Every structure is written in C-alpha cells, then in structure tokens.
C-alpha cells in the first residue's frame, strides 16, 4: 500500500515497516526522485524491458515489475528484501544491474530521439541514416553517427 508523507512516497509493509528511501534521498540534498523525467513511449519501454531481461537472463515480467517498483520510488535494498515475491526472486545484484541498465538505456533512447529530431530539422535525415541511428546500441555509437551533423557553436 503506497502512502505519502509530505509528498514523499513510502510503502508500509505487512510488518509495519516504512520504506522512506525517498525521504532519505531528499534529505541528502539530491535531486527529487523521477522529477521532470520525460516518459518514453510504450514501445520504447517494451524494447528496454526485453533487452534488460535478455542481458540479466530473467523473464520480462520480472523486469517489468522491478521497473515499476523503482519508478515508484522503492530502493534496490527494499525491493530485494521486501518485494522478492513480486519480482520473482531477483536478488540485490540483479536489481542493481537492472537499475543501472535501465538508467543507461533510458538516457540512450532520450538522446536517440534528440539526435533524430536535430538531423531531421536540418533536412539531412535519410532512411539509411535513421536505421543506423535506431540500431545504435551504445551512446558512443550514437554520438559517432551524429558527429558530422552536429551544429557548430
């Protein structure tokens, strides 16, 4: 059951414990959790979930559940300890890797959209270039493709 305390999301477990990871995160002076995040399309998220599932060798539904919990503000230790049944038994090592890859792949998708939009605005986007950009698997590959089209400041 999700509860809020002064706008901070927490979860009360059946043992009466309160996951206040969002509170600790804000008290440490860090940026608010998930604030201002552009949402990716459903297709992009499905692609990311499939890729992460293949990389850490688990089922897609486990990854999807873990992503939902992470997006809801739950921390990796909390999920590993108290939501193990929801994630199908993912341990903290798998969850950490999942969290890191999720962040990287979301950043990659955001950057890919920006690169496609910028090249399209220059009227230099060809179907072949679009396919190459959409096939880029790392940020470095994407930036290498974008380099000739970057505007000089």
């Amino acid at each position: 059951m999700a509860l809020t305390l002064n706008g901070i999301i927490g979860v009360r477990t059946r043992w009466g414990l309160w996951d206040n990871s969002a509170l600790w995160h804000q008290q440490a002076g860090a940026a608010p959790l998930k604030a201002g995040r552009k949402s990716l399309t459903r297709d992009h998220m499905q692609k990311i979930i499939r890729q992460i599932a293949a990389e850490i060798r688990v089922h897609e539904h486990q990854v999807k559940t873990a992503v939902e919990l992470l997006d809801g503000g739950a921390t990796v230790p909390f999920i590993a300890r108290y939501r193990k049944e929801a994630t199908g038994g993912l341990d903290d090592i798998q969850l950490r890797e999942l969290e890191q890859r999720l962040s990287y792949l979301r950043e990659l998708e955001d950057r890919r959209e920006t690169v496609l939009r910028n090249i399209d605005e220059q009227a230099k986007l060809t179907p072949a270039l679009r396919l190459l950009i959409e096939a880029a698997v790392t940020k470095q590959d994407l930036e290498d493709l974008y380099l000739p089209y970057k505007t000089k400041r």
Side-chain angles (χ1 to χ4, degrees):
M1 176 177 181
L3 304 171
T4 59
L5 175 65
N6 296 331
I8 298 170
I9 297 174
V11 178
R12 182 177 297 271
T13 67
R14 65 178 173 204
W15 300 282
L17 300 174
W18 175 264
D19 177 30
N20 58 0
S21 58
L23 178 63
W24 289 108
H25 187 76
Q26 284 194 336
Q27 286 178 345
L33 293 174
K34 313 296 184 257
R37 168 121 183 76
K38 294 188 298 186
S39 62
L40 296 172
T41 64
R42 185 180 176 115
D43 292 337
H44 286 135
M45 276 309 298
Q46 283 295 78
K47 177 182 166 186
I48 289 172
I49 288 171
R50 274 193 302 274
Q51 185 173 347
I52 293 172
E55 288 175 4
I56 63 174
R57 296 179 185 93
V58 295
H59 295 285
E60 288 180 26
H61 68 88
Q62 291 174 288
V63 174
K64 183 178 180 191
T65 302
V67 167
E68 289 170 357
L69 289 168
L70 288 167
D71 286 347
T75 62
V76 168
F78 177 81
I79 296 169
R81 181 174 289 169
Y82 301 113
R83 295 294 180 262
K84 190 170 277 236
E85 70 283 350
T87 61
L90 293 179
D91 61 19
D92 58 340
I93 295 169
Q94 290 172 311
L95 288 167
R96 286 259 181 246
E97 186 176 347
L98 184 149
E99 181 182 43
Q100 290 169 351
R101 289 300 293 161
L102 178 64
S103 174
Y104 182 87
L105 292 172
R106 281 179 169 170
E107 290 171 7
L108 178 65
E109 286 299 322
D110 288 344
R111 184 65 181 149
R112 187 184 327 267
E113 289 175 12
T114 303
V115 166
L116 284 169
R117 186 177 59 249
N118 289 344
I119 296 173
D120 192 34
E121 287 171 359
Q122 297 173 22
K124 296 180 180 177
L125 185 62
T126 63
L129 181 59
R130 176 181 288 278
L131 288 175
L132 286 172
I133 290 171
E134 289 175 354
V137 293
T138 65
K139 291 179 188 177
Q140 187 61 51
D141 291 343
L142 187 59
E143 292 303 322
D144 289 345
L145 290 168
Y146 182 51
L147 190 60
Y149 304 96
K150 251 184 184 170
T151 55
K152 310 277 191 283
R153 291 184 187 209

